[in-house]
Amino acid sequence: NAGVTQTPKFQVLKTGQSMTLQCAQDMNHEYMSWYRQDPGMGLRLIHYSVGAGITDQGEVPNGYNVSRSTTEDFPLRLLSAAPSQTSVYFCASKRLTDTEAFFGQGTRLTVV
Amino acid sequence: EDKVVQSPLSLVVHEGDTVTLNCSYEVTNFRSLLWYKQEKKAPTFLFMLTSSGIEKKSGRLSSILDKKELFSILNITATQTGDSAVYLCFNYGGSQGNLIFGKGTKLSVKP
């Protein structure tokens, strides 16, 4: 079982560049979500989705876009990277009912 | 506003010590509280708690939930250096069941 797959694992961007973080799960989970993890801040919700075609904002959505065209994939787009977006990003998925959440391995993003 | 508060934020102990990590919460539509362990990479599942007063155990780790006082504890007995990690507590809350995280407790176990 692949579980939740995130790519890339590491990325360095220049300010103003755009990029897409990929997240894919093979467990047919309805719920998928993106978090950023910063020292002293814990994991903060960026965007989430409860099914294909349905997305919503979390706690810190500014500067990020998402889409959910399939159940499996939930990409996170940085439109114009800023140094404040330097962080570790995690994708997670779960069934809509309250079950265990599964996390990807994380993407360490540095914006210079 | 939904929130989860973990304490302490960091903790240094020696091998063999017993530690207790705390997680308090204020969450609308509370359903479950979960504990995860995060080492270098992705958080990994430890426990899911939905009912008060029922202890869950896995080896040297155990956890219990108090829904009246709105908190949970995670106990680790006879700590080992391999227990060094960040321990995350989170709830499923709100109308969509979003994960609501505490900031984590960083546990360091010295030999």
Side-chain angles (χ1 to χ4, degrees):
Chain A
N1 282 340
V4 179
T5 303
Q6 265 185 256
T7 56
K9 291 183 180 177
F10 302 95
Q11 183 71 53
V12 178
L13 289 178
K14 293 183 178 179
T15 297
Q17 286 185 317
S18 63
M19 78 159 294
T20 299
L21 280 63
Q22 302 291 343
C23 177
Q25 53 89 13
D26 61 358
M27 297 171 281
N28 205 31
H29 286 167
E30 303 94 339
Y31 182 95
M32 296 184 75
S33 51
W34 277 101
Y35 304 85
R36 58 178 290 173
Q37 187 174 33
D38 302 293
M41 302 293 289
L43 281 90
R44 292 181 292 169
L45 180 64
I46 304 172
H47 285 284
Y48 68 96
S49 169
V50 295
I54 306 169
T55 64
D56 205 349
Q57 296 180 351
E59 181 184 356
V60 288
N62 292 339
Y64 307 95
N65 274 0
V66 292
S67 60
R68 184 97 179 267
S69 56
T70 67
T71 300
E72 294 78 18
D73 299 297
F74 190 45
L76 178 73
R77 295 185 196 82
L78 280 71
L79 306 173
S80 177
S84 61
Q85 294 177 305
T86 293
S87 187
V88 179
Y89 292 83
F90 286 98
C91 176
S93 76
K94 68 177 183 77
R95 288 198 229 280
L96 271 183
T97 54
D98 298 331
T99 58
E100 178 184 348
F102 295 81
F103 289 82
Q105 293 295 304
T107 297
R108 184 173 293 276
L109 175 69
T110 302
V111 183
V112 297
Chain B
E1 180 184 338
D2 293 343
K3 64 180 180 181
V4 174
V5 178
Q6 290 186 249
S7 63
L9 292 181
S10 66
L11 188 57
V12 180
V13 300
H14 289 94
E15 273 191 316
D17 288 349
T18 294
V19 298
T20 298
L21 310 183
N22 302 290
C23 177
S24 64
Y25 63 90
E26 294 176 27
V27 176
T28 56
N29 301 320
F30 173 86
R31 278 86 69 91
S32 305
L33 183 145
L34 295 93
W35 286 97
Y36 276 60
K37 178 182 181 182
Q38 185 180 24
E39 295 172 271
K40 294 293 185 185
K41 297 182 180 178
T44 54
F45 177 79
L46 293 175
F47 299 110
M48 175 186 276
L49 305 160
T50 54
S51 301
S52 268
I54 299 174
E55 185 182 51
K56 295 214 171 179
K57 285 181 70 75
S58 177
R60 295 176 294 102
L61 279 67
S62 64
S63 184
I64 197 162
L65 175 69
D66 185 327
K67 289 170 76 173
K68 181 179 178 184
E69 300 297 330
L70 307 183
F71 76 92
S72 174
I73 60 172
L74 175 68
N75 278 325
I76 308 174
T77 59
T79 52
Q80 302 171 356
T81 54
D83 296 326
S84 296
V86 174
Y87 289 83
L88 299 170
C89 168
F90 64 88
N91 285 164
Y92 291 141
S95 60
Q96 300 292 353
N98 286 326
L99 286 65
I100 304 164
F101 284 91
K103 292 185 178 180
T105 293
K106 183 176 180 180
L107 175 65
S108 299
V109 181
K110 304 291 187 186

